[in-house]
Amino acid sequence: MDFSEFAGTVATSIDDFTTYLSAHFGLVFDSISTVILGIQQPLATLMTSAPALLIITTVMVGGVLLGRLSLAILSGCGLAFIFVMNLWAPAMVTLSLVLTAAVVALAIGIPIGILIAESKRLNAVAEPILDFMQTMPPFVLLVPAVFFFGVGTVPGIVATIFFAMPLPIRLTAHGLKMVEPEMVEAGEAFGASRLAVLFLIKLPLAFRSIMAGVNQCVMMSLSMVIIASMIGAGGLGDEIIRSISRLQVGRGVEAGLAVVVLAILIDRITRRISEKVDPTA
Amino acid sequence: MSTRKPAIEIKALYKIYGGNPKVKLDRLRSGACGPDKGSGFVALNNINMTIETGKIFVVMGLSGSGKSTLLRCINRLIDPTAGQIVVNGQDVTIAGKKELRQIRSSMIGMVFQHFALLPHMSVIDNVAFGLRVAGVGRKERRERAGKALELVGLSGWDNRKPSNLSGGMRQRVGLARALVMDTPVLLMDEPFSALDPLIREEMQQELLRLQSTLNKTIVFVTHDPNEAAMIGDRIAILLKGEVVQEGQPIDIVLSPASDYVRDFVRGIDVFKVLSAGQVMDAVCPPMELANKPISEWTKHLSKDFVKLAPDDLIAPYLDELAKEQRALIVVQNDGTPVGTVTPKSVLRALAAHSSLSGSTPKMEKPKAADTTRANAAAERATQ
Ligand SMILES: Nc1ncnc2c1ncn2[C@@H]1O[C@H](COP(=O)(O)OP(=O)(O)O)[C@@H](O)[C@H]1O
Ligand SMILES: [Mg+2]
């Protein structure tokens, strides 16, 4: 049997639907683009135009301030490697994409996580949606992103935001739900309102879980941003795709290593920051 | 505040977990079904109690008998299914959210079994927590929290984290956190159960010491009969959500209402509750001396005497009693003698408490070893 005609009809109707959406909700997509580019563009400009040495030094000083000399040395070596491999500019673009996507994902995800933890009804609504988002293979996320935003930086970041958001939502909600009932009782028994309990007791006690979500969000953003090069997000992923298509194995490995370096640095630095500011420590 | 008005009155209080509470409640009230029938768990079943101002009221019972539920109904951490609780004239069961917060911060303090200190706050911030959410300014709350810490003997520990403190010290912080609010009522849910025995006794003494000056109305939950006897002015014993007996410690110890209560109070060191008034022999004084002042009395006594008030514990005088050199005379506040304490009268009171009383064991000849030991003791005594 041949279902190609049926498949074609479905595809056409989806096309029609997206066309309808872009026609009637164009303003929404435009404003999303504006916000995202408004964060990413200046960030990318700043990071690529600043002297590499300045950035490396800043990160190293940051490592020392965080109380880890090893972290400072690791960052220095890692960033120097990227610079020496002549991958500095694409690496900085990648970082700007990661930071933009992660910041937006967290800015939306953490409040949603809080709402879910506080309301059983919202939790019931959000649970299947989160399940769906988490089962989506990252590659597939690129399709709707391209539908609504075409190709380029914005759809790449949008896809990344969707990919990186479920985990911080889950971990925020989990952390809040795991706070011992006795702690909440103690707050309530002394006359604390619901908001006071949330901000003075639950959020500080859920800090570790929330920060684990932050860390995961940034890490997942990095992996997604690389994949999003397929739709023209730019950065190190471009280098990788280009070297693959030209069969330049060496160049591909260099770019791949640069991604690994970024991943390690981002992971260590976010972890160390969360250790450092942990109120429950 | 008038002292004779009860601080807390609980009327027909029910709490049903799960199921359909309203339906179950109706059946329970009408007697159509017992608490164990059908869905829904009856944690509190028609509780009625009156708690006097300035007294320590102990709620005792096995784990799962509903003690914590009862306590949490008083400050509405748990909403009762039905019934009324009046605290200092205010019905807490009908209070709205805002009113409830007001009641909690101004009328009812609480101390938790596992301390429930906030690990991310310093000791002083923990103590000042209630003041903070009540909107008291930083300077004033620090000052008051500092004073509360001083009261519980923890001044100088202000800026430590709770994790740096021992169990006993943590519960002192828990106590300070409740005391700083200056509430007339204090709820304590097994506050010393998590502590080592020695520290526990120290804390019990500390609580009694504080209470002697603060005169709060304390509802104290425990599963430890000795603790209950030691600090309670009154004790209520809970079984499956029902009060099976309520009264002064000595009443419960000497006349337990059921086997459950008897099992419970068996562990109580009876001398911790036995007072002179309870063990004295009222018949003993010669008839002609009854209702005469003690000066009249003592003239007729052949030996020296010790004067006791009816409320005095008998334990410190046991030695005196054994020596039989001085008479123990119980004298009322107004100076009227009301009885004497004799070895026989003490034994009689103890017999009432003993779980073995009633079934007199068969007379047995002492075993050989016992006899020799008894003889040796007798010899030593005569020397
Ligand atoms: N939230 C709840 N839901 C269902 N059952 C509960 C709940 N809280 C307590 N219970 C049950 O109510 C009974 C009394 O609990 P509790 O008041 O904590 O007893 P206690 O403090 O005397 O050990 C227990 O059997 C417990 O399982
Ligand atoms: Mg309990």
Side-chain angles (χ1 to χ4, degrees), chain A:
Chain A
M1 267 211 278
D2 184 9
F3 284 111
S4 56
E5 198 179 318
F6 177 66
T9 326
V10 173
T12 320
S13 44
I14 293 177
D15 285 347
D16 288 348
F17 178 62
T18 50
T19 317
Y20 169 82
L21 279 187
S22 351
H24 293 264
F25 295 90
L27 204 63
V28 176
F29 298 124
D30 283 351
S31 42
I32 293 175
S33 297
T34 317
V35 170
I36 288 176
L37 288 179
I39 303 174
Q40 191 264 340
Q41 294 288 341
L43 204 57
T45 315
L46 179 75
M47 291 170 75
T48 43
S49 56
L53 201 61
L54 178 67
I55 291 182
I56 296 177
T57 323
T58 311
V59 174
M60 288 181 72
V61 170
V64 173
L65 288 181
L66 285 170
R68 284 279 183 281
L69 194 61
S70 56
L71 185 63
I73 295 170
L74 185 77
S75 327
C77 296
L79 292 175
F81 168 80
I82 292 173
F83 184 72
V84 172
M85 289 297 123
N86 205 19
L87 289 167
W88 186 259
M92 288 304 113
V93 172
T94 293
L95 264 186
S96 73
L97 295 171
V98 169
L99 288 178
T100 308
V103 163
V104 176
L106 291 172
I108 302 171
I110 292 178
I112 290 181
I114 294 173
L115 290 176
I116 288 179
E118 290 290 304
S119 151
K120 285 218 171 71
R121 209 173 301 168
L122 278 180
N123 190 36
V125 175
E127 203 58 39
I129 299 177
L130 287 174
D131 279 339
F132 176 70
M133 283 171 82
Q134 284 188 300
T135 44
M136 283 262 251
F139 225 76
V140 176
L141 278 176
L142 297 178
V143 180
V146 172
F147 274 157
F148 295 123
F149 297 96
V151 291
T153 308
V154 175
I157 292 178
V158 169
T160 304
I161 291 170
F162 267 82
F163 182 66
M165 199 158 51
L167 212 50
I169 293 180
R170 280 248 154 94
L171 283 168
T172 301
H174 173 79
L176 290 172
K177 286 180 198 163
M178 284 299 112
V179 171
E180 281 176 59
E182 221 184 21
M183 295 293 155
V184 177
E185 271 192 336
E188 286 174 349
F190 289 101
S193 63
R194 196 168 170 183
L195 271 186
V197 169
L198 178 65
F199 281 99
L200 298 179
I201 297 177
K202 285 187 182 175
L203 282 174
L205 291 180
F207 181 82
R208 276 182 205 192
S209 185
I210 295 173
M211 285 313 284
V214 170
N215 173 274
Q216 285 304 301
C217 178
V218 182
M219 299 303 286
M220 290 174 80
S221 296
L222 178 61
S223 66
M224 189 65 195
V225 155
I226 302 298
I227 293 173
S229 300
M230 306 266 314
I231 55 171
L236 285 172
D238 273 4
E239 296 293 321
I240 295 177
I241 289 174
R242 197 176 304 133
S243 58
I244 290 174
S245 58
R246 292 182 192 165
L247 295 177
Q248 296 169 328
V249 179
R251 188 63 182 157
V253 169
E254 280 173 5
L257 280 178
V259 174
V260 172
V261 166
L262 282 188
I264 293 175
L265 291 189
I266 289 172
D267 183 48
R268 293 292 148 79
I269 291 173
T270 51
R271 266 174 214 264
R272 183 60 198 150
I273 290 176
S274 47
E275 269 174 37
K276 190 84 177 170
V277 292
D278 187 351
T280 58

Side-chain angles (χ1 to χ4, degrees), chain B residues 37-55:
Chain B
K37 287 263 174 61
S39 68
F41 179 84
V42 182
L44 295 177
N45 190 354
N46 195 12
I47 301 274
N48 291 282
M49 47 180 63
T50 303
I51 299 172
E52 299 291 335
T53 304
K55 299 283 189 217

